[in-house]
Amino acid sequence: MTGESCRPVFVLGCPRSGTTLLQQMLHSHRRIAFPSETRFVHTAYEARHRFGDLERPENRRALAEWITSGEGTKFKVLRLDAAAVVEEIVQGPPTLGSAIAAVFRAYARRHGKPRWGDKRPSYFRRVPMLRRMFPDAQFIHLVRDGRDAVSSLMRMPWFHGDIHTAALTWREAVDTGMRLRARLGPATFYEFRYEDLVADPEDALTRLCEFLGEEYDPGMRTAHRHARQTVPSTRKWHLRTHEEVNARRVGAWRDRLEGWEADFVQYVLASRLRRHGYALTEGARPPAGQLVRFHRLAVYRWRSRHARAVLDRLAEAREPNPVVSCLDGPVSVS
């Protein structure tokens, strides 16, 4: 291992698949800075036309001030000097990707690390966006048993869907992962299972570091120490990151899902579960009405994605500037 890679890293996957645990592990690597979810990358991209021609310094300043103080961006989790970041963006290259990279590079610099990453489960839907801004990025897809992911997602206070929505979200994530693996190749896209991560963290993380071009750092095994400082106790759904890595929640769906729920989830996800090495249990075929509802939802969401893709292409044609980041190379650290 050369330990010289400086490619951005993005973690994605179905919600409740262990991506926060993985984010904490990656940040515990001595060379990689990996903050909690910031939520300004995709929103800045969607709002990019609002800021006009970024060749104009006043427009870069407006963008920078929106990133650092805009509603819902969560810039504060980075604990950076907002004014300094604004000036860095204003003095930087006139592209959206450069502005976003400047923020993460400032975060990496604060932690004395030459490399940065970002995590958001829903990035599995936004890889084309991320590749437009960061064409040299690497992507990590963490897969968890769909029955566990669905049963956990259904318990979240911020999830407002039903079991059909939850199951379809997992299916969309793993199907997207399959397409990305074929399209991006093994140097850019890496997929592995949550169950393997918690069963043998050192082996799973060593393999992951090989993909990243990094040496394995034993500090990644003690990520719970960092999580205790950065994951608030109010986020009860992430409190397991405060514990040493364990496999106690593997197979929890057996206690969390009612019989009909388990039968339904396993039935509609069966081929994908098998493909990822998950053994199936005996179960009844769901009622026809349940299956019709699920497939109608799948068709509706497929049409919505394609309609959005058309709008995205139209929006790209109206961009006053390139969006690609011009900031590359390792972050300068003292």
Side-chain angles (χ1 to χ4, degrees):
M1 294 299 160
T2 65
E4 296 176 351
S5 177
C6 55
R7 300 169 69 181
V9 183
F10 292 97
V11 167
L12 48 93
C14 178
R16 305 307 298 163
S17 292
T19 56
T20 298
L21 170 64
L22 181 56
Q23 171 255 319
Q24 295 287 331
M25 289 175 161
L26 285 165
H27 184 77
S28 298
H29 192 284
R30 61 184 174 274
R31 281 182 33 90
I32 308 173
F34 229 101
S36 301
E37 290 185 29
T38 54
R39 301 189 178 224
F40 60 73
V41 175
H42 72 290
T43 50
Y45 183 83
E46 290 169 355
R48 64 196 183 280
H49 295 90
R50 180 192 313 176
F51 302 103
D53 185 357
L54 295 182
E55 292 283 353
R56 302 176 62 180
E58 61 269 29
N59 290 345
R60 294 200 297 279
R61 184 173 298 277
L63 169 62
E65 291 176 347
W66 181 88
I67 289 174
T68 57
S69 60
E71 183 178 353
T73 66
K74 290 196 172 185
F75 173 84
K76 291 181 179 179
V77 303
L78 301 176
R79 299 180 182 178
L80 296 173
D81 182 330
V85 170
V86 168
E87 293 306 317
E88 190 167 342
I89 292 174
V90 172
Q91 299 303 318
T95 73
L96 176 65
S98 300
I100 292 173
V103 180
F104 288 108
R105 290 169 71 90
Y107 180 80
R109 193 164 56 243
R110 172 176 172 261
H111 288 273
K113 300 181 179 184
R115 195 171 181 186
W116 61 270
D118 190 31
K119 183 275 282 193
R120 187 172 173 85
S122 62
Y123 278 159
F124 77 82
R125 298 188 176 97
R126 309 309 298 270
V127 170
M129 170 199 77
L130 295 170
R131 282 179 53 78
R132 290 196 72 218
M133 293 190 285
F134 310 105
D136 62 337
Q138 290 181 289
F139 297 89
I140 303 169
H141 182 212
L142 188 61
V143 177
R144 185 184 184 188
D145 186 324
R147 295 161 295 191
D148 274 333
V150 168
S151 67
S152 181
L153 191 54
M154 293 288 292
R155 295 160 62 92
M156 294 300 104
W158 41 262
F159 180 71
H160 304 297
D162 58 12
I163 197 162
H164 301 83
T165 306
L168 189 55
T169 299
W170 186 86
R171 192 177 83 167
E172 289 170 349
V174 298
D175 285 356
T176 301
M178 181 178 65
R179 292 192 295 270
L180 290 172
R181 184 169 61 248
R183 184 183 311 152
L184 301 183
T188 296
F189 184 83
Y190 184 79
E191 182 177 271
F192 71 123
R193 304 193 320 168
Y194 166 83
E195 291 77 15
D196 298 327
L197 177 62
V198 297
D200 191 345
E202 183 170 347
D203 179 69
L205 292 171
T206 297
R207 294 172 184 271
L208 176 60
C209 286
E210 289 175 358
F211 161 73
L212 294 174
E214 302 286 352
E215 293 183 358
Y216 168 66
D217 186 341
M220 300 172 80
R221 285 288 311 274
T222 57
H224 59 282
R225 297 174 183 171
H226 178 257
R228 290 169 185 170
Q229 300 173 2
T230 59
V231 178
S233 58
T234 52
R235 289 163 59 184
K236 296 181 180 179
W237 51 91
H238 284 156
L239 287 184
R240 286 184 58 76
T241 60
H242 292 191
E243 305 173 6
E244 292 190 35
V245 179
N246 62 75
R248 286 199 293 271
R249 285 293 183 269
V250 173
W253 64 270
R254 293 179 174 85
D255 299 319
R256 290 176 171 176
L257 294 177
E258 296 183 18
W260 73 269
E261 292 176 322
D263 289 345
F264 171 79
V265 172
Q266 183 167 261
Y267 186 88
V268 298
L269 303 182
S271 62
R272 281 92 172 168
L273 290 169
R274 290 193 194 96
R275 183 189 307 148
H276 287 86
Y278 298 112
L280 304 186
T281 61
E282 292 293 331
R285 178 187 172 91
Q290 293 275 7
L291 297 177
V292 168
R293 182 178 175 184
F294 177 80
H295 291 299
R296 282 178 176 170
L297 178 62
V299 170
Y300 171 79
R301 286 170 60 145
W302 182 87
R303 288 175 175 169
S304 296
R305 287 196 303 276
H306 282 263
R308 178 168 185 161
V310 172
L311 294 176
D312 285 345
R313 287 193 291 272
L314 293 174
E316 289 175 19
R318 296 187 292 109
E319 290 169 349
N321 312 101
V323 298
V324 65
S325 173
C326 300
L327 299 177
D328 52 18
V331 176
S332 297
V333 295
S334 56

